[in-house]
Amino acid sequence: SYELTQPPSVSVSPGQTASITCSGDKLGDKYACWYQQKPGQSPVLVIYQDSKRPSGIPERFSGSNSGNTATLTISGTQAMDEADYYCQAWDTDVVFGGGTKLTVL
Amino acid sequence: EVQLVQSGAEVKKPGESLKISCKGSGYSFTSYWIGWVRQMPGKGLEWMGIIYPGDSDTRYSPSFQGQVTISADKSISTAYLQWSSLKASDTAMYYCARHDPGTLGAFDIWGQGTMVTVSS
């Protein structure tokens, strides 16, 4: 079955750029999306179709997808961005990555 | 407002049956797939399956095939996830989410989640 691999944790200082990767075989041939989940809350879609932002998502969130890796980039990271982030793609089925805990310190 | 509203938390004993619900509003319920996602305590998101309420076409993750049943009643804009015999390992938060074809694979609207606790 298809698998997506994310680093368990990423740390970033406030105001700096955070990059979270998601790796899968030929992931660049599929569409990737990203969700943000804060403690006790439902996931929120922050990037779809590799790089598009839903309405209401700040411009500091961006995405890319090429080769075997999709990347979520948060520019000018704020304390409110501290959360778990999950990538997701469709193979024959829906697949989620294992999640990355972003710490802003 | 487009939203998915899920049924409330459940506490069950092993072996009992359960059906939880997800009611859509603010959009054409029959025109979007609804997926179910499990999140065990402290763990990540796991896709369980998806249903198209328009014709009840349903697909399951191999990990959940035969373990749960997904259904929908389009007359009341509600999707369901059910178990015939719960296990302690079914203890988790369960989310429903809408798949928007315009997002090419993403789930754009999520329910608030239903916590299921299975304990003797």
Side-chain angles (χ1 to χ4, degrees), chain A residues 31 33 35 37 41-43 45 48-49 86 88 90 93-94 96, chain B residues 39 43-45 47 50 62 95 103-107 110-112:
Chain A
Y31 285 114
C33 58
Y35 303 92
Q37 186 181 33
Q41 297 184 19
S42 301
L45 180 67
Y48 68 94
Q49 204 175 324
Y86 295 90
Q88 180 240 304
W90 283 73
D93 297 316
V94 174
F96 286 100
Chain B
Q39 188 168 39
K43 302 299 184 182
L45 305 176
W47 178 68
I50 198 166
Y95 294 101
T103 63
L104 295 178
F107 294 94
W110 290 67
Q112 83 277 19

Side-chain angles (χ1 to χ4, degrees), chain A residues 13-89:
Chain A
S13 300
Q16 299 304 301
T17 297
S19 294
I20 300 173
T21 58
C22 173
S23 299
D25 185 48
K26 298 180 181 177
L27 180 57
D29 292 344
K30 312 177 194 302
Y31 285 114
C33 58
W34 292 89
Y35 303 92
Q36 176 193 70
Q37 186 181 33
K38 296 181 179 180
Q41 297 184 19
S42 301
V44 173
L45 180 67
V46 295
I47 293 289
Y48 68 94
Q49 204 175 324
D50 296 338
S51 60
K52 297 186 177 181
R53 280 179 292 105
S55 173
I57 301 301
E59 290 185 8
R60 64 179 181 274
F61 288 86
S62 63
S64 63
N65 184 17
S66 179
N68 294 320
T69 304
T71 303
L72 173 68
T73 302
I74 309 173
S75 305
T77 307
Q78 300 182 10
M80 69 172 66
D81 300 328
E82 186 162 286
D84 293 327
Y85 290 86
Y86 295 90
C87 61
Q88 180 240 304

Side-chain angles (χ1 to χ4, degrees), chain B residues 34-37 47-51 58-61 64 70 107:
Chain B
I34 294 288
W36 286 94
V37 176
W47 178 68
M48 303 177 71
I50 198 166
I51 187 166
T58 307
R59 303 171 192 178
Y60 293 92
S61 161
F64 292 93
I70 294 171
F107 294 94

